[in-house]
Amino acid sequence: MSDSIGPINTGATSTILQPAATLVIVARDGATRHAPQGTVDYRLLLLQRMQRRAGAYYDGASVFPGGAADQADFSQRWYSLYRDIGVTTGEDFGWDHMKGKPRPLSIVAERRDGLLPNEVAFRICAIRETFEESGVLLAGYSEDILKSKSLMHRKVVGPATDILRQGPSPSRDVLAKWQKLVHDDASRFVDMCCEFGIYPDVWSIHQLGTVMNSQYFSRRHEVIIYMCTMEMIPEVRVDGKEITDHRWLTPVEAVRLASRREIILPLPQLTECARLLELQSMREVQRYAASIMDEGMEPQLVLPFMLNDAFVFASPGDDYYSEIEDTPDLPLLNETEAENTSRCKNLNRAVYGPDGHFKLMCNIQLPHGQRPPSDVDSRDWVVDSKL
């Protein structure tokens, strides 16, 4: 549970955004070690959210771990912990070179002097929320964390540290008690790390993208999407409150199950799975993350509009994007999805039909080296031929 750090004014409108972070965990699947060449050798962690209200957005959905940033993620107390491995100032973390590059609003927002740098605090947010919801703790002792720091500075994406695979480490039962404490009070996360002398592995957390929802939605967020890799699939212990179950799926499996309506995959999760569809190995994912590590990332505001036969989310670069305004009212166009698409040369959108099928279409080059999501038509994914 978060003590919110407070919303961000977008500057362009009177509306405000709640900063948040989510984490795509890419774990090597040991069962594929001797599989035929071309077999996807990694899986993604998807958590099933509790169904509280029928029709509520994200309720019952399969999502990456994550949530709203908390004041505790920026606490000066983190300096006391990291000081023991030679990090005494914000510059020592190693992200100062990103200043001046395109960054999420949450990262460039000014905060009180003495707090942890935004680049670090949102990574801690992602690690904390992952621990709260799944019990996976991406933290370690000084030797392993200094290795992660060294790899990041050499522009290499290495595996994150899983505390349960370090020795000596807190027992599973002890961590389960701390998981509940941190879930109820985010400030206990730094307490736990100080008690065990462990460090959140912020240097193994790499940004994939940023997404903002429009004024049409009553609750607005800017979500920074991070990624980390792990050499083995870790043990998961869901919190049983917000999260009821979990799955480890390949990107292909996630898209296929969503197409069959066996899971609910919200647009950010669907987009990231589609972005990874053509990457067969975890090593390819690591190379991709390394290639965009220093590129910066612009905030991506996704704008909805309604057609006669479809609901569309347009992203920057789509020909129709510039014709839509970010307002609380949903634009309604008196044309079909086929008619609207046919007059757009450049496409970067998601389309949802009244019968539940969906399509992702992206035929443009995205800025800053970001991979475009593969085109997906859910009607083509219902059968196993897409495996």
Side-chain angles (χ1 to χ4, degrees):
M1 181 176 297
S2 288
D3 181 12
S4 168
I5 64 169
I8 296 174
N9 195 311
T10 65
T13 69
S14 60
T15 59
I16 51 181
L17 300 167
Q18 178 62 53
T22 191
L23 184 61
V24 183
I25 300 181
V26 180
R28 192 183 302 280
D29 183 359
T32 65
R33 190 176 302 277
H34 302 294
Q37 187 173 3
T39 302
V40 177
D41 71 358
Y42 65 89
R43 292 179 176 270
L44 312 177
L45 176 61
L46 286 167
L47 305 177
Q48 184 174 336
R49 297 191 64 84
M50 181 174 291
Q51 181 72 56
R52 291 188 176 91
R53 306 178 306 280
Y57 194 56
Y58 274 47
D59 275 15
S62 293
V63 300
F64 304 128
D70 188 277
Q71 292 178 4
D73 300 324
F74 298 79
S75 172
Q76 293 173 309
R77 292 186 60 202
W78 289 111
Y79 281 116
S80 300
L81 178 67
Y82 282 105
R83 183 179 297 119
D84 293 338
I85 57 171
V87 176
T88 59
T89 68
E91 291 79 4
D92 291 338
F93 282 100
W95 279 286
D96 257 27
H97 66 286
M98 297 301 294
K99 291 180 179 178
K101 296 186 179 183
R103 307 301 292 134
L105 299 177
S106 303
I107 296 295
V108 300
E110 294 186 3
R111 307 200 191 280
R112 180 167 53 83
D113 289 344
L115 297 180
L116 214 56
N118 294 342
E119 292 276 10
V120 181
F122 280 96
R123 285 170 166 84
I124 285 181
C125 170
I127 294 171
R128 173 183 56 77
E129 285 284 342
T130 296
F131 177 58
E132 288 182 23
E133 295 180 340
S134 72
V136 176
L137 180 53
L138 302 173
Y141 298 101
S142 58
E143 182 178 355
D144 292 296
I145 298 305
L146 287 171
K147 287 180 182 177
S148 290
K149 186 171 183 282
S150 175
L151 287 174
M152 192 276 287
H153 288 312
R154 288 188 281 130
K155 314 305 177 189
V156 176
V157 174
T161 304
D162 176 5
I163 190 60
L164 283 178
R165 300 198 178 277
Q166 309 303 304
S169 63
S171 70
R172 288 171 172 78
D173 289 341
V174 168
L175 285 179
K177 293 177 181 178
W178 276 102
Q179 181 182 359
K180 183 180 184 303
L181 291 172
V182 174
H183 182 280
D184 294 340
D185 181 357
S187 69
R188 300 305 304 274
F189 189 50
V190 67
D191 291 341
M192 180 190 71
C193 291
C194 289
E195 177 162 330
F196 297 120
I198 58 177
Y199 307 85
D201 193 359
V202 295
W203 291 283
S204 69
I205 308 298
H206 306 281
Q207 187 180 343
L208 285 183
T210 306
V211 64
M212 294 187 290
N213 58 351
S214 77
Q215 293 187 61
Y216 172 69
F217 297 94
S218 57
R219 298 179 63 183
R220 300 198 65 192
H221 296 85
E222 179 185 60
V223 181
I224 304 176
I225 303 172
Y226 292 107
M227 183 275 293
C228 75
T229 61
M230 304 186 74
E231 283 298 334
M232 299 179 67
I233 292 177
E235 178 184 332
V236 173
R237 190 195 302 246
V238 299
D239 62 25
K241 297 178 180 178
E242 299 176 39
I243 306 300
T244 59
D245 203 355
H246 77 283
R247 297 181 189 229
W248 288 98
L249 300 174
T250 67
V252 167
E253 290 170 341
V255 172
R256 189 182 74 243
L257 290 175
S259 298
R260 292 176 173 176
R261 303 181 210 175
E262 294 181 32
I263 63 172
I264 301 170
L265 205 59
L267 182 55
Q269 281 72 20
L270 176 62
T271 301
E272 295 309 319
C273 287
R275 206 185 306 279
L276 299 177
L277 278 176
E278 296 182 9
L279 301 183
Q280 299 294 305
S281 70
M282 191 175 83
R283 182 59 188 145
E284 289 179 280
V285 177
Q286 290 174 322
R287 283 197 294 263
Y288 166 57
S291 73
I292 62 173
M293 185 183 294
D294 291 340
E295 289 294 318
M297 197 71 66
E298 295 177 358
Q300 179 169 289
L301 173 62
V302 180
L303 297 177
F305 62 95
M306 179 70 78
L307 299 170
N308 291 340
D309 58 351
F311 193 98
V312 182
F313 291 95
S315 294
D318 190 285
D319 281 346
Y320 200 71
Y321 188 83
S322 60
E323 300 184 33
I324 315 170
E325 292 185 4
D326 182 17
T327 70
D329 300 317
L330 182 67
L332 305 175
L333 282 71
N334 187 24
E335 60 183 348
T336 66
E337 188 262 323
E339 291 169 340
N340 182 267
T341 301
S342 67
R343 63 187 183 88
C344 294
K345 177 182 178 181
N346 300 301
L347 296 171
N348 189 16
R349 60 176 59 183
V351 180
Y352 291 85
D355 61 353
H357 82 271
F358 58 82
K359 291 191 288 186
L360 291 182
M361 293 180 282
C362 184
N363 63 4
I364 64 171
Q365 183 175 347
L366 300 180
H368 314 301
Q370 190 176 39
R371 286 181 63 87
S374 297
D375 286 355
V376 171
D377 187 327
S378 64
R379 290 168 293 197
D380 297 333
W381 283 76
V382 174
V383 294
D384 288 344
S385 60
K386 278 290 183 180
L387 283 172

